[in-house]
Amino acid sequence: MSLDYFPIFINMNQKQAVVFGGGTIASRRAKALLEFGAKVQIVAPEISENLQRWAAGEENLTLEYRRYQPGELQKSVRVDLVLAATDDKLVNDSIFQECRRQGVLVNTASDQAKCDFYFPGIARKGEITVGVTANGQNHKKAAAVTEKIREMLDKFF
């Protein structure tokens, strides 16, 4: 039996998200969270130029040039969700385990089985927001459907 994910829309305004990793996946997901009002903290020894540029003009984006430290979520003031998007599967697994112990929602980029949530394809226009997922199985199909929905929304607005 496959595990289907329940579609839910969460008010991310001022919610705290920590992204471990500073590459392409981290950039894309941080951008999506920022667009919905989240406060995003990037933790990585190396951080992409895109994230560095965004941080210069985005008060809700902070960068910390360092590696993940086991146990740091226990010391954190409040974290609403975590993204484990490093290029090291063992580090991502450690982040996942810590999130489990702390009861923090986590998305592990290197292992869909270690995700409490997926990042959907997002189509937005006016007051309409549509999220599309293929339950982590077929990213190309989800992207194609998302694009078709964007085209449909353009016709309404």
Side-chain angles (χ1 to χ4, degrees):
M1 180 174 121
S2 74
L3 189 63
D4 291 330
Y5 282 66
F6 178 76
I8 188 169
F9 288 83
I10 298 172
N11 178 356
M12 288 303 297
N13 190 44
Q14 300 300 303
K15 296 279 193 300
Q16 183 64 51
V18 179
V19 179
F20 293 99
T24 304
I25 292 171
S27 296
R28 191 170 55 240
R29 293 182 178 172
K31 182 175 187 259
L33 290 168
L34 288 165
E35 289 174 357
F36 285 88
K39 291 183 175 225
V40 179
Q41 174 186 15
I42 304 289
V43 177
E46 295 179 28
I47 297 175
S48 74
E49 289 182 19
N50 280 341
L51 284 169
Q52 291 176 41
R53 276 194 302 278
W54 294 336
E58 174 60 64
E59 66 183 37
N60 285 334
L61 178 61
T62 58
L63 308 180
E64 292 190 29
Y65 292 85
R66 62 177 179 80
R67 296 188 185 286
Y68 161 75
Q69 300 295 314
E72 71 179 81
L73 293 175
Q74 296 170 9
K75 303 169 194 166
S76 181
V77 175
R78 185 185 116 235
V79 175
D80 296 299
L81 63 89
V82 169
L83 309 176
T86 75
D87 59 2
D88 185 326
K89 186 181 179 326
L90 293 176
V91 171
N92 287 348
D93 287 348
S94 180
I95 294 166
F96 170 78
Q97 291 301 328
E98 184 170 348
C99 287
R100 275 289 179 266
R101 287 190 302 274
Q102 296 300 315
V104 176
L105 295 174
V106 62
N107 173 286
T108 307
S110 61
D111 188 344
Q112 73 182 35
K114 294 179 178 172
C115 292
D116 293 319
F117 62 94
Y118 293 138
F119 272 80
I122 298 171
R124 276 177 93 180
K125 199 74 168 188
E127 71 278 5
I128 302 295
T129 301
V130 179
V132 177
T133 183
N135 283 333
Q137 301 300 310
N138 191 331
H139 298 295
K140 287 183 182 181
K141 184 183 279 185
V145 169
T146 301
E147 188 53 40
K148 290 290 185 189
I149 292 170
R150 286 183 185 131
E151 291 170 11
M152 288 174 54
L153 288 175
D154 284 340
K155 291 177 184 177
F156 286 98
F157 291 90

